[in-house]
Amino acid sequence: MKTTLLFGALLAATLAAPAQAGSVTLPSGAPPVWKSECSSCHVAYPPQLLAKQGWQNVMNGLQKHFGSDASLAPADAKTILAFLERNAAPDGDRFDAASGRITDTRWYGRKHHEIPSSAFRSADVKSAANCQACHEGADKGRFSEHALTAVGRRFED
Amino acid sequence: MKPAAIVALIAAALFGATTASAEAPQDIQAAYAAQAGAGFTASAQRGRTLFTTRHGVSADFPACTQCHGTDLAAAGKHAITSKQIEPMAVRANPQRFTDAAKTEKWFRRNCREVVGRECSAAEKADVIAFLRAGS
């Protein structure tokens, strides 16, 4: 029993470890309101790609959310923030972005350093935050370099 | 519909949190119509005008159709994120207008952004009548 628990904890810790080479996964136990709310205008961005402060900034500014009105009932916002904080990346500079943009983190820059900024502005991508233009399974939290769309494969090294 | 049911629907629309519930498009429309006052009748034609007019408040989304498309039986595409949005026409998408709280939330957000203010209950009933047409 104890060993199973320990093993379970280790496994959970491994799964929750942020983003080594493509190992991004959506955490289990996500509240339904996060899924329905935070994936209605774009893919649900995995919580472990941003540190706590970034998520707090996002959730405090939903009324003016990157040019959109994403305002929420306070109870829903609270549930979502608690989930994001629980699964956020550890503090430290790799996943920090006061702007609340994953695409502003150093981690994102490193994973995509081969991609010219003109590509992010091209008609079939339009934005660095448009993960699903290049990542086949982005809506399910899958970002492996082996599951790129035709557009994404253009930028493979 | 009984007045109590109408009151309940309006209450759900105004105060409801995001719970999934099975409501019918005609009931959600009726609740807005009741809120609009005695003698009001929803008009799909007025709904079309609101939905297709270029209000010009936002540069990114001058009209509702910027994200929802002009062919309402086909999927639309979010003007900034490019994410696909399921069809708005009830005949093409039976999920439409089946959750009063969801409907109210998106009217609030999208009207503020596109029209520059919240839509009235009358306008919401008109838009639903327009999107129910042919179903």
Side-chain angles (χ1 to χ4, degrees):
Chain A
M1 172 65 190
K2 265 206 186 118
T3 22
T4 332
L5 265 180
L6 185 64
F7 180 71
L10 275 174
L11 188 67
T14 321
L15 289 177
Q20 276 106 26
S23 69
V24 183
T25 47
L26 294 183
S28 56
V33 62
W34 173 72
K35 287 189 199 153
S36 61
E37 267 307 311
C38 304
S39 68
S40 50
C41 296
H42 44 63
V43 294
Y45 297 116
Q48 64 272 40
L49 296 185
L50 203 59
K52 260 187 199 163
Q53 184 64 52
W55 286 123
Q56 286 163 358
N57 293 352
V58 168
M59 295 305 294
N60 284 334
L62 286 179
Q63 184 124 6
K64 288 204 163 63
H65 178 72
F66 307 104
S68 258
D69 182 341
S71 54
L72 271 183
D76 290 342
K78 218 173 135 194
T79 307
I80 293 172
L81 179 59
F83 163 74
L84 293 171
E85 286 180 336
R86 219 164 40 238
N87 294 282
D91 292 330
D93 56 0
R94 277 208 313 158
F95 293 96
D96 288 343
S99 65
R101 281 195 182 271
I102 293 162
T103 53
D104 281 347
T105 61
R106 289 212 332 195
W107 170 85
Y108 184 92
R110 229 195 39 230
K111 288 285 178 195
H112 300 91
H113 67 277
E114 292 120 352
I115 303 179
S117 55
S118 61
F120 287 126
R121 290 192 303 269
S122 67
D124 41 13
V125 179
K126 284 192 17 195
S127 164
N130 189 2
C131 318
Q132 75 275 21
C134 301
H135 293 281
E136 194 66 62
D139 56 337
K140 296 175 196 71
R142 282 203 294 270
F143 297 96
S144 158
E145 59 184 310
H146 306 297
L148 294 168
T149 62
V151 172
R153 282 197 295 274
R154 290 209 311 257
F155 309 110
E156 246 177 324
D157 52 9
Chain B
M1 186 192 283
K2 289 208 189 80
I6 295 174
V7 170
L9 262 179
I10 294 174
L14 291 178
F15 307 115
T18 39
T19 44
S21 43
E23 284 147 319
Q26 58 271 30
D27 295 343
I28 297 181
Q29 180 186 323
Y32 284 127
Q35 215 183 327
F40 171 84
T41 314
S43 149
Q45 190 51 48
R46 280 197 310 262
R48 172 199 299 279
T49 304
L50 189 138
F51 206 80
T52 55
T53 298
R54 294 176 67 87
H55 300 274
V57 171
S58 148
D60 286 328
F61 352 100
C64 306
T65 48
Q66 201 72 26
C67 291
H68 291 300
T70 44
D71 178 359
L72 296 167
K77 194 169 138 191
H78 194 284
I80 296 180
T81 67
S82 305
K83 184 174 190 285
Q84 176 168 322
I85 301 176
E86 297 306 316
M88 286 305 275
V90 172
R91 76 190 126 88
N93 179 0
Q95 301 303 313
R96 280 296 165 220
F97 306 112
T98 52
D99 175 349
K102 173 183 172 173
T103 300
E104 174 63 15
K105 178 179 68 190
W106 285 101
F107 267 130
R108 174 169 49 80
R109 289 176 176 167
N110 291 340
C111 286
R112 273 193 204 151
E113 290 186 315
V114 177
V115 190
R117 58 167 173 81
E118 298 205 15
C119 288
S120 66
E123 288 169 323
K124 293 173 197 170
D126 289 345
V127 168
I128 299 177
F130 168 54
L131 295 171
R132 280 180 60 216
S135 68

